[in-house]
Amino acid sequence: MMTLAFSGFLFGAGLIIIPIILHLLKLRPRVPQAYPALVFLYATVAKRQSRNRLRKFIILLLRCLVFLLIALAFAWPYLADIAQEPEEASVILWDSSFSMQEESVNYYLNDEAVNTLGRASNKYPMALGTVTESVKWSGDFSGDSAKLTQWFKNNRKSYGSSSFREAIRQADSKLKNISAKKKTIIIITDRQLLPWESVALKRPLSPGTKLKVIMPPKRKLIKNTAVTMAKFQSKYFYPKQKLNLKMNFQNFNSESASANLVIYFDNKRIKGKKITLPPNSVFTEYVQLVAPAGIPRPLAGTVELRADNDNLRIDNVHYFSINPIAKPKIFLTPLIGGSKVDFIKTALMPAKPQGEKINAEFRDLIPDTKFEKFKDASLLLLQDLKVFGDDFIKKIDKYLDDGGNVVIVWQNSAETKKLLKHFDINVIKKQNKGVQRFEMLDFEHAIFKDYMKVRAGAWFDILFFDVPTLKFPAKTKILAYFDKQIPAITECRYKNGKVFVVASELDRKHTNWPTFGSFLPFWRELLLYSERREQRVYSLRINGGKVVWKGNVKVSSVDMPNVKAKSFLQLDTPGNFIVKSETKSTIYSVNVPEKESATTLLPSKYDYQKLVSNKKIKTKEIVKAKQKNKLKFMQNAKNYWWILLLFAFALSFLEILLANRTAL
Amino acid sequence: MVNRSEAIISEFLDPDLLSSLPSLEVQARYLVSGFLTGLHRSPYRGSSVEFKEFRDYQPGDSLKIIDWKVYARTDRLHVKLHEEQTNLNAYILLDRSASMNFAGPEAKMTKWRYACSLTAALLLFLHRQNDAFSMSMVSDGLEDFIRPASKTTLFQRFLKQLYREADATECNWDAALDELSNVIQPRSIVVLVSDFYTDLEIFRKHLDHLRFMKCEPLFIQVMDPVECEFNYDDPVLLQDLESGEKLVLSPDLIRERYKGKMEKHINDLTDLVKQNGGDHLLLRTDSSPIKALGSYLAIRSRRFK
């Protein structure tokens, strides 16, 4: 059945009244006009009068039809079976958190979801979303139940945690954009409280939208024990190193639970241990593991809690891993002038190769140093640049393109300014005469965050003299400010690497910072922060079997279960993942979110129906939604407006011919 | 030369101005004086009673025109020349039917008033040329026919007649021309002024008779521009001026066909008249009537060649 998208335009068809009125007015003139040559008119008209009358009627008909067709074309007719207003549009939100995999509820809710989706049709279109921290949508509203069911089967499982807050808003927004007699959000979830915790009941849904929650029948409290953490306490540097593993277990039950603790490390089973977990508490256990002999390589393992009475077993396995820290390579520009002391080098130089101390390798960066030599460096420390030419800037560029890290320490020289200018950093003022102190530090930044553990020195007592004022690009992160908001330490992304700028010369004339306890930890953390560059990447793109980091590190192969080619992998599937790059391998451990193990059920008095609005839907909104919906349907629907316009043009041309005129 | 002068004069003789002139006599004088301004004096000289000039006798001159009295007094031979006496009779027949009483929406004067001005001018012109003239109106026959003469009183009388209205219900050319054929002098000029909305066949036998009488007819057809163009836009209800019949029609739809018919009628009339040795002149009321005088003069010239 043909339907009109913009039926309002049909009022335009009323314009046919114009030719009709004109026709009626001209049909029979009242006032006779004298005329002498009527004898000729009789001869002319007599034969044609009846024909002319018919012709006039045809012209009138044509004019009316032209108006009608134009109005109809603007009203945009299209096939109604595509765009017929649905009886009920539903958005189904499937709680995709791993707690849904608890066996007792899984089958029940799965069947409910399949049955609900089975009712999808053009009259009852549905959209399906699987909810974790975010929502994954099946697409637009569809009446194809088979397609929806298949999509559900492919996407129902996840190992994340869920929250309905955003999901409900998104579902509401989706329903706003469709015209339907009834609109419903159907939430399919276990009775876990967690996803509802963030839902704001005071913020109702759009008027007219109903809410239905499908939950398993009220049941007894589920029993659950979980491994919530397994992490090495120490950093891994050398072979046969003793590594302390800290494990947290949580008993969510109101009674104590006994379980066997089994640890696998580097593909070897470590002797099991029987533990008893006190009710509703977190239990911590430590174990000392020994790294294998030989060159340090990434190591991984699992902690398994084999509890007897546990309904949710996914969180009973915890993956852990440790990657050796390579000896960092630092290239420094030597300070020219015998009396100058390179405080940074002094601070970072290893006193003894012992424990967690930085065991860095220092090399001089001079104009003749070839790019190949420093391309793998963890950090380039640039201070005195007087002897460096333009070629050097090109080398630095290349190094940054490979994901390197560069620290530029301010020197009042043309070469430093030139280099800064290259990174779009401008010198506003060469010197701010007088004493400056740190005014503000970004303690949330990884460099300072880790430093805080050290608790060394008072930052705000450090003195700086005659510091410059530099202007940085907008994307720059300011890690520290001097007084009057003058940037002191900054971090800026450039190509694939990072450029750090310290806006003060680090010699006796310009600062007393090296005498403070914060100096050494700052540079050490900066070095470690730079060394972590590969670990900052969280996802991989699998492209035809060849795995490429989203960053700059090329990966030759990846050892991951269930990873399909050309898929985008979020590391949210529990497991240990080995990523082999050209230069080294790294293991990543992914575990189920800790909070999802919570077994607290939704209280029976929790009234989620408060989300349903009491307000009536405004007619304006209904019309608006209908129009929006029609527009959307029309993109796919067969419409005929252009045929109508074509006819209108043809008829108007015919009218011109018949009416014996050259223009309308 | 006549035609060229006529064209120049026509530009200066404005029909709008003509319509605003107060009386037919003034109108006639305006037209005739305007026409004559562009012409030389008539070159035809004859033996009429009106003396013109003396000149020396030239060998070849007729002995009849020698003025013997002057010879007796002066002993020289002179010939006596007189103004031309043409003995030409002109009959003007003016259609007085109601169809002449029409003026289109943009016309300044009706066909009747235009025809009257034209006739008055012709009469004056004839009078000045010393041609004998007669003017009759045509309705169901000839009205008040008077034998032609070249007298000022007659001119005044005809002029008065022209103030009548065109209110006759018909124009019976057949009867009128029948009557004329009984009284017409041979070698006369017959001027018919009308719109000629009639069956042209009725003229055929009368034209034959006129030709037999060696008379020359001049058909002056007066038409309003609307009759020629039929430039009405909207559907109109038209009423016949003579019969009173009404007709509703859409001008757009019949205009071309009507114009075709009208053109054919005019062409038929032209052909008919020319086949019988006459002239046909179509005058639109938005053009100067001076052409009529030119046409008359052309016919008159042919007579004296």
Side-chain angles (χ1 to χ4, degrees):
Chain A
M1 198 182 125
M2 195 77 84
T3 305
L4 302 172
F6 307 104
S7 50
F9 278 106
L10 275 190
F11 286 111
L15 289 175
I16 60 169
I17 201 78
I18 297 169
I20 291 172
I21 288 173
L22 287 176
H23 179 80
L24 291 175
L25 282 175
K26 291 182 175 183
L27 191 62
R28 191 154 289 280
R30 300 278 172 208
V31 185
Q33 293 187 35
Y35 199 74
L38 219 57
V39 60
F40 294 102
L41 290 171
Y42 274 127
T44 310
V45 176
K47 293 175 192 168
R48 297 169 62 91
Q49 190 75 324
S50 59
R51 242 169 72 193
N52 286 341
R53 198 162 290 157
L54 180 68
R55 193 166 148 187
K56 275 161 73 179
F57 275 115
I58 291 170
I59 290 167
L60 172 68
L61 193 69
L62 286 176
R63 287 171 181 173
C64 292
L65 271 176
V66 167
F67 277 111
L68 200 67
L69 286 175
I70 290 172
L72 206 60
F74 273 87
W76 209 331
Y78 57 99
L79 284 176
D81 52 342
I82 299 168
Q84 203 171 26
E85 189 181 47
E87 288 290 322
E88 183 176 6
S90 310
V91 174
I92 295 152
L93 295 175
W94 169 262
D95 179 0
S96 184
S97 65
F98 79 79
S99 67
M100 287 282 281
Q101 292 176 39
E102 199 245 308
E103 287 174 4
S104 62
V105 298
N106 188 267
Y107 290 113
Y108 172 79
L109 292 177
N110 203 44
D111 287 349
E112 281 290 331
V114 171
N115 287 341
T116 309
L117 290 171
R119 289 199 289 274
S121 65
N122 281 343
K123 271 191 171 182
Y124 298 93
M126 292 182 186
L128 173 64
T130 53
V131 184
T132 51
E133 288 292 348
S134 56
V135 191
K136 190 177 178 185
W137 289 106
S138 62
D140 219 329
F141 284 91
S142 166
D144 189 344
S145 61
K147 206 173 162 185
L148 284 167
T149 309
Q150 192 55 48
W151 191 89
F152 167 69
K153 284 177 179 170
N154 292 340
N155 294 281
R156 66 185 166 182
K157 267 191 183 182
S158 98
Y159 296 93
S161 178
S162 60
S163 165
F164 291 145
R165 185 191 170 94
E166 270 310 303
I168 289 172
R169 293 299 142 206
Q170 283 185 29
D172 190 28
S173 170
K174 263 186 175 287
L175 284 170
K176 254 188 188 176
N177 290 328
I178 189 167
S179 164
K181 287 171 187 164
K182 280 167 75 181
K183 296 176 181 181
T184 314
I185 296 173
I186 301 170
I187 299 175
I188 304 173
T189 179
D190 53 5
R191 278 190 181 270
Q192 198 184 24
L193 173 66
L194 184 70
W196 295 97
E197 275 178 342
S198 56
V199 175
L201 290 177
K202 285 180 183 171
R203 200 177 144 201
L205 300 171
S206 305
T209 304
K210 291 182 176 172
L211 181 66
K212 185 181 171 187
V213 180
I214 298 175
M215 288 191 289
K218 208 170 180 186
R219 58 198 169 117
K220 288 178 185 174
L221 289 172
I222 63 162
K223 291 189 173 174
N224 190 24
T225 51
V227 187
T228 53
M229 191 192 84
K231 197 177 174 185
F232 283 105
Q233 292 291 93
S234 43
K235 284 175 181 166
Y236 174 32
F237 292 104
Y238 49 89
K240 291 187 181 176
Q241 187 181 340
K242 286 176 183 169
L243 302 162
N244 287 324
L245 182 71
K246 183 184 178 182
M247 296 165 288
N248 279 351
F249 308 98
Q250 192 163 358
N251 182 5
F252 294 94
N253 308 327
S254 53
E255 62 224 28
S256 60
S258 60
N260 277 326
L261 174 66
V262 181
I263 300 167
Y264 287 89
F265 181 60
D266 197 24
N267 293 325
K268 285 175 198 163
R269 180 177 166 153
I270 311 298
K271 202 177 178 183
K273 188 182 176 185
K274 192 146 186 149
I275 54 170
T276 303
L277 304 171
N280 292 320
S281 62
V282 178
F283 180 77
T284 305
E285 183 77 25
Y286 293 90
V287 64
Q288 197 176 59
L289 303 170
V290 182
I295 302 165
R297 58 182 169 79
L299 302 170
T302 55
V303 174
E304 285 181 39
L305 192 65
R306 293 176 182 173
D308 296 334
N309 203 1
D310 196 328
N311 301 111
L312 190 61
R313 292 183 180 276
I314 292 165
D315 53 7
N316 287 18
V317 179
H318 203 93
Y319 298 87
F320 63 90
S321 58
I322 190 161
N323 296 295
I325 294 175
K327 200 174 182 180
K329 245 193 236 177
I330 304 168
F331 277 74
L332 305 100
T333 52
L335 290 175
I336 299 162
S339 61
K340 287 190 179 175
V341 180
D342 194 339
F343 291 111
I344 304 169
K345 191 174 177 181
T346 313
L348 290 174
M349 280 283 250
K352 285 176 187 174
Q354 181 193 341
E356 291 180 37
K357 290 270 173 71
I358 297 291
N359 188 14
E361 186 183 324
F362 287 88
R363 291 192 185 165
D364 281 345
L365 184 66
I366 53 171
D368 292 340
T369 311
K370 287 185 178 171
F371 171 72
E372 283 70 29
K373 277 199 170 179
F374 68 84
K375 71 172 183 182
D376 298 330
S378 310
L379 196 68
L380 299 188
L381 262 165
L382 312 178
Q383 292 192 78
D384 201 338
L385 302 172
K386 277 170 196 154
V387 291
F388 292 92
D390 286 346
D391 283 357
F392 178 66
I393 294 180
K394 284 179 190 168
K395 285 181 197 171
I396 297 284
D397 249 15
K398 211 173 167 189
Y399 170 71
L400 285 165
D401 200 21
D402 279 357
N405 299 285
V406 173
V407 179
I408 303 168
V409 179
W410 165 255
Q411 298 279 318
N412 192 1
S413 69
E415 291 76 15
T416 305
K417 284 176 203 165
K418 196 174 178 184
L419 183 64
L420 289 173
K421 182 83 186 162
H422 179 71
F423 297 124
D424 206 16
I425 301 165
N426 296 309
V427 181
I428 305 292
K429 201 174 177 185
K430 280 191 278 185
Q431 282 186 342
N432 289 292
K433 288 279 181 192
V435 182
Q436 294 280 338
R437 289 183 173 82
F438 281 126
E439 189 184 59
M440 213 165 74
L441 291 148
D442 180 8
F443 285 113
E444 286 300 310
H445 193 276
I447 294 172
F448 295 105
K449 209 173 183 180
D450 284 352
Y451 160 80
M452 292 297 276
K453 293 173 196 164
V454 184
R455 294 182 195 167
W459 281 98
F460 304 103
D461 294 336
I462 304 165
L463 304 178
F464 295 90
F465 305 97
D466 306 340
V467 296
T469 303
L470 305 178
K471 191 186 175 188
F472 293 88
K475 58 186 177 180
T476 309
K477 266 189 211 170
I478 312 287
L479 309 189
Y481 283 102
F482 293 127
D483 293 334
K484 296 176 189 170
Q485 297 284 303
I486 299 170
I489 304 167
T490 62
E491 177 191 342
C492 177
R493 281 196 169 275
Y494 185 81
K495 295 190 172 175
N496 293 314
K498 283 179 175 177
V499 176
F500 297 91
V501 176
V502 178
S504 172
E505 291 186 43
L506 298 177
D507 58 21
R508 285 195 188 99
K509 278 186 185 173
H510 293 89
T511 181
N512 62 356
W513 190 14
T515 64
F516 280 76
S518 58
F519 190 73
L520 186 145
F522 171 78
W523 288 103
R524 190 192 65 189
E525 291 303 323
L526 179 61
L527 183 62
L528 286 173
Y529 179 65
S530 312
E531 185 57 22
R532 268 185 232 143
R533 68 190 196 208
E534 283 177 48
Q535 295 172 23
R536 291 197 299 274
V537 183
Y538 299 112
S539 57
L540 298 168
R541 183 174 286 281
I542 317 295
N543 186 7
K546 193 178 177 185
V547 182
V548 183
W549 276 110
K550 276 181 87 181
N552 64 315
V553 181
K554 286 174 184 169
V555 179
S556 57
S557 68
V558 62
D559 181 12
M560 290 183 187
N562 305 322
V563 173
K564 288 177 188 169
K566 290 185 180 175
S567 65
F568 187 79
L569 176 75
Q570 293 287 344
L571 289 184
D572 58 0
T573 310
N576 284 322
F577 301 100
I578 305 169
V579 176
K580 290 172 185 168
S581 74
E582 283 172 348
T583 51
K584 66 177 190 177
S585 298
T586 312
I587 294 187
Y588 297 94
S589 295
V590 180
N591 289 292
V592 291
E594 186 186 331
K595 58 185 177 181
E596 195 64 25
S597 300
T599 53
T600 318
L601 297 180
L602 195 67
S604 53
K605 62 180 178 184
Y606 185 85
D607 188 7
Y608 49 76
Q609 288 298 343
K610 278 184 184 169
L611 283 169
V612 178
S613 171
N614 297 325
K615 287 181 189 168
K616 285 185 178 175
I617 319 166
K618 289 175 189 167
T619 324
K620 263 186 188 175
E621 283 174 3
I622 295 172
V623 173
K624 210 175 166 185
K626 276 185 180 175
Q627 292 292 2
K628 221 173 182 181
N629 185 39
K630 277 174 183 172
L631 271 176
K632 201 176 280 178
F633 275 120
M634 277 183 309
Q635 288 171 357
N636 302 318
K638 284 183 182 175
N639 51 61
Y640 303 98
W641 62 270
W642 61 274
I643 299 175
L644 294 170
L645 270 187
L646 214 64
F647 265 111
F649 280 123
L651 292 181
S652 50
F653 186 68
L654 202 63
E655 191 270 347
I656 290 167
L657 283 181
L658 279 177
N660 198 19
R661 289 174 190 183
T662 50
L664 269 173
Chain B
M1 195 176 85
V2 173
N3 287 339
R4 195 174 148 205
S5 305
E6 191 183 294
I8 296 164
I9 296 156
S10 293
E11 285 183 20
F12 294 100
L13 293 177
D14 181 12
D16 292 350
L17 179 61
L18 181 69
S19 67
S20 64
L21 293 176
S23 69
L24 276 172
E25 190 172 352
V26 177
Q27 286 177 4
R29 285 184 191 283
Y30 168 69
L31 285 171
V32 172
S33 62
F35 179 72
L36 290 178
T37 307
L39 292 179
H40 294 292
R41 187 136 177 99
S42 169
Y44 310 110
R45 293 176 179 83
S47 54
S48 66
V49 287
E50 289 218 18
F51 170 76
K52 183 171 171 59
E53 63 181 349
F54 287 105
R55 71 164 166 79
D56 290 346
Y57 173 78
Q58 303 277 326
D61 281 343
S62 173
L63 292 177
K64 287 181 184 176
I65 59 168
I66 294 172
D67 194 329
W68 296 109
K69 285 181 182 173
V70 174
Y71 174 71
R73 281 201 296 271
T74 62
D75 203 19
R76 290 175 67 182
L77 283 174
H78 282 86
V79 288
K80 192 178 182 181
L81 296 178
H82 293 87
E83 279 287 351
E84 181 190 21
Q85 181 69 44
T86 59
N87 294 324
L88 188 71
N89 292 323
Y91 297 88
I92 300 173
L93 304 184
L94 179 59
D95 178 357
R96 200 176 68 84
S97 67
S99 72
M100 290 293 282
N101 208 6
F102 173 75
E106 289 171 14
K108 289 281 185 311
M109 57 209 296
T110 61
K111 290 195 289 183
W112 171 247
R113 294 267 44 101
Y114 185 88
C116 287
S117 299
L118 164 68
T119 308
L122 265 175
L123 288 171
L124 181 64
F125 185 68
L126 290 165
H127 182 46
R128 287 204 180 170
Q129 290 291 112
N130 291 321
D131 292 344
F133 53 87
S134 170
M135 194 276 288
S136 256
M137 297 203 179
V138 181
S139 55
D140 51 354
L142 280 182
E143 291 180 354
D144 306 329
F145 178 76
I146 296 169
R147 286 186 176 277
S150 181
K151 291 177 183 172
T152 307
T153 50
L154 196 59
F155 171 71
Q156 296 295 340
R157 185 174 173 175
F158 289 146
L159 214 55
K160 277 181 189 169
Q161 278 188 27
L162 288 175
Y163 283 102
R164 294 177 68 186
E165 287 298 320
D167 51 5
T169 52
E170 62 168 333
C171 174
N172 193 340
W173 281 109
D174 196 23
L177 290 170
D178 262 347
E179 283 178 44
L180 185 71
S181 64
N182 294 330
V183 290
I184 195 166
Q185 296 291 314
R187 300 179 64 81
S188 298
I189 294 174
V190 182
V191 181
L192 293 85
V193 182
S194 170
D195 50 16
F196 298 109
Y197 291 153
T198 184
D199 181 12
L200 298 180
E201 283 307 309
I202 60 168
F203 289 110
R204 196 172 292 279
K205 66 171 182 182
H206 297 292
L207 283 169
D208 281 348
H209 179 71
L210 288 173
R211 194 165 58 177
F212 174 74
M213 296 284 288
K214 295 189 179 171
C215 294
E216 284 200 44
L218 171 61
F219 280 62
I220 298 176
Q221 190 172 13
V222 178
M223 289 184 79
D224 191 273
V226 170
E227 291 175 291
C228 300
E229 305 296 335
F230 201 60
N231 48 359
Y232 290 106
D233 290 327
D234 297 330
V236 282
L237 171 62
L238 298 178
Q239 188 170 24
D240 192 73
L241 283 165
E242 289 175 19
S243 64
E245 286 179 76
K246 289 177 183 174
L247 181 65
V248 179
L249 46 86
S250 298
D252 282 344
L253 303 180
I254 57 145
R255 183 177 295 118
E256 293 308 317
R257 205 172 165 80
Y258 165 84
K259 280 165 80 174
K261 281 259 175 197
M262 183 57 83
E263 204 175 321
K264 185 178 180 300
H265 176 76
I266 294 166
N267 289 340
D268 287 351
L269 180 63
T270 310
D271 291 346
L272 181 69
V273 176
K274 287 201 170 167
Q275 278 165 17
N276 291 283
D279 263 350
H280 170 253
L281 177 68
L282 174 66
L283 288 175
R284 282 167 54 134
T285 56
D286 59 348
S287 66
S288 167
I290 203 95
K291 282 180 186 172
L293 304 183
S295 295
Y296 173 80
L297 201 58
I299 292 171
R300 194 173 179 281
S301 305
R302 286 204 296 269
R303 273 292 150 100
F304 292 100
K305 272 181 186 172

